[in-house]
Amino acid sequence: MRIASIRQGVVPISSAIANAYIDFSKMTASVVAITIEDGAGRSATGYGFNSNGRYAQPGLLAERFVPRLEACDAAVLTAADGTLNVAAAWAAMMKNEKPGGHGDRSVAVGVLDMALWDAAAKLEGKPLWRLLADRFRGGEADDAAWVYAAGGYYYPGKGVDALVEEMKRYLGLGYTTVKMKIGGAPGTPIKDALREDVARIEAVLKLLGNDGSRLAVDVNGRFGLHAALAYGAALQPFALRWYEEPLDPLDYATHATLAEHYAPPLATGENLFSMLDARNLIRHGGLRPDRDILQFDPALSYGLVEYLRTLEMLEQHGWSARRCVPHGGHQFALNIAVGLGLGGNESYPEVFAPFGGFATDTPVQDGRIRMPDAPGIGFERKNDLWAVLKDL
Ligand code: MG
């Protein structure tokens, strides 16, 4: 095994949308292509990108992580069974990095990790979900993954009617469960914002046959305890699928307090970027393994090598992998969901193009999606994304 080349680029992932915390008008993503030769005449190019919600990391990639990866020789890159040793390449990238302070570093490493897994699966001639099922789950893979349509963003001039129309389009695409943003009305006193959001929620629930289990709401970490409790009291009668990121992602003790007062499912974790941060959430966040949802995004949090550690940690703490529904709406997490038996995956049918969404020829049916039988992660089967990646 040798690395023949690593290319990187920065592409816009911009959009006029906003959630309760940020707008996405200047959002970018790093993309990488890694070509690996196996020494026996085969070569494969793996691709990676950094999900959404964090910016491109060209500096960290160029100065630290790409040179460390390029310096890996065949002894590092080749596993005992002759396959690409992604875990050893990952360890080489992380040499001389101190613990803690994950932030943007975990994003840069995650981009390269994704490309390495794509290449590893291509060299073995398998889809990544199949490689993962064979290697970590005794060959058992799910037939399909549950996916839900995430949207309901705030954008200028968007009213309740436009929100309901958007959700209708998702149902028309085959989704059965949808998610909308709440808590985003700018500068509005909490009791007015709450009244407005309850009206938005009721309008969407009407479309969903008043079945709360088909609607999730997302605060994007904006509330303090007072607002989270006020909203929680108002949301509880709707029995929603989940109440997402009500609080700052690192404020574990306050999550524990909220969980004492809000009985239906909570969801969080998309802004925790390491196994150790995830473990602190599990230890101190008061979350309940029989109902709550964990949304760690493998692309943002050092990639799949680290995500495997997170799944192992969860098992040790009595949590099923089925409680995990990763953030990001990308094909990498979808492969992981099917191959490792997660609870499902997020999907963005209308935003974060071309990175959001799945293979062009695999429609969503009854809220579930099947995986194509293409080698690697399957980027070549997603036309709009492949148009960007192939130019690298
Ligand atoms: Mg979210």
Side-chain angles (χ1 to χ4, degrees):
M1 294 283 174
R2 67 176 280 272
I3 291 175
S5 70
I6 303 177
R7 285 94 68 200
Q8 68 145 321
V10 174
V11 294
I13 187 172
S14 61
S15 170
I17 59 174
N19 63 36
Y21 219 105
I22 63 167
D23 79 66
F24 289 85
S25 58
K26 295 191 171 57
M27 185 61 61
T28 56
S30 281
V31 290
V32 300
I34 305 178
T35 300
I36 295 180
E37 295 169 353
D38 74 351
R42 284 162 63 95
S43 86
T45 299
Y47 298 90
F49 59 83
N50 64 260
S51 191
N52 66 72
R54 299 279 154 173
Y55 296 88
Q57 297 301 326
L60 291 179
L61 286 164
E63 288 167 16
R64 305 216 296 276
F65 299 109
V66 168
R68 286 180 198 153
L69 193 52
E70 284 174 332
C72 291
D73 60 16
V76 174
L77 294 173
T78 314
D81 63 359
T83 59
L84 177 63
N85 194 337
V86 180
W90 190 97
M93 286 194 280
M94 287 295 288
K95 192 155 187 260
N96 294 326
E97 295 290 325
K98 290 177 79 175
H102 304 289
D104 290 334
R105 177 176 77 185
S106 68
V107 175
V109 173
V111 175
L112 294 167
D113 172 284
M114 187 192 295
L116 288 168
W117 284 105
D118 189 31
K122 285 170 176 165
L123 285 169
E124 292 183 39
K126 297 176 180 179
L128 180 60
W129 59 267
R130 171 49 57 201
L131 179 153
L132 296 175
D134 289 349
R135 205 178 282 184
F136 301 107
R137 210 172 152 218
E140 188 194 335
D142 292 350
D143 292 344
W146 174 73
V147 287
Y148 70 94
Y153 287 84
Y154 296 93
Y155 63 85
K158 181 175 177 182
V160 173
D161 291 349
L163 173 68
V164 172
E165 281 307 311
E166 177 193 346
M167 298 301 167
K168 231 182 243 176
R169 290 195 294 276
Y170 299 153
L171 301 183
L173 289 170
Y175 295 92
T176 55
T177 308
V178 297
K179 184 170 83 183
M180 58 186 272
K181 301 298 179 185
I182 60 168
T188 312
I190 188 74
K191 81 176 179 358
D192 298 337
L194 177 55
R195 193 181 322 116
E196 206 175 291
D197 277 332
V198 166
R200 292 169 72 240
I201 289 167
E202 284 174 339
V204 174
L205 278 175
K206 199 170 154 207
L207 174 71
L208 301 173
N210 288 314
D211 180 354
S213 73
R214 297 175 62 193
L215 176 64
V217 295
D218 187 1
V219 181
N220 290 91
R222 186 183 178 207
F223 290 159
L225 182 60
H226 177 76
L229 287 170
Y231 263 73
L235 296 179
Q236 186 137 333
F238 294 124
L240 298 178
R241 185 64 168 245
W242 65 67
Y243 176 19
E244 177 170 327
E245 248 194 344
L247 297 159
D248 185 280
L250 290 164
D251 190 351
Y252 306 125
T254 307
H255 273 96
T257 302
L258 177 63
E260 286 174 11
H261 296 275
Y262 184 76
L266 293 164
T268 190
E270 69 180 68
N271 290 302
L272 300 183
F273 290 164
S274 67
M275 180 278 282
L276 289 163
D277 280 349
R279 191 172 69 186
N280 274 334
L281 175 71
I282 295 302
R283 281 175 172 166
H284 307 297
L287 297 184
R288 303 146 300 188
D290 65 342
R291 74 196 81 164
D292 292 329
I293 299 296
L294 304 170
Q295 300 173 303
F296 318 120
D297 181 341
L300 293 175
S301 51
Y302 292 111
L304 175 55
V305 170
E306 180 80 354
Y307 196 75
L308 288 165
R309 293 187 191 115
T310 297
L311 289 176
E312 193 182 336
M313 174 279 291
L314 290 174
E315 191 179 357
Q316 287 163 1
H317 286 78
W319 282 72
S320 164
R322 296 286 182 202
R323 306 311 318 161
C324 295
V325 180
H327 163 271
H330 48 77
Q331 289 166 289
F332 186 47
L334 188 66
N335 272 270
I336 295 169
V338 167
L340 298 181
L342 308 185
N345 198 40
E346 187 166 25
S347 177
Y348 302 106
E350 294 189 356
V351 289
F352 304 126
F355 298 97
F358 311 120
T360 309
D361 54 357
T362 54
V364 177
Q365 291 174 315
D366 294 327
R368 299 181 69 79
I369 189 165
R370 290 177 169 277
M371 298 300 292
D373 212 2
I377 293 172
F379 297 134
E380 292 81 355
R381 299 281 284 269
K382 179 166 164 36
N383 298 344
D384 56 347
L385 178 56
W386 182 235
V388 171
L389 296 178
K390 75 175 167 39
D391 288 339
L392 260 186

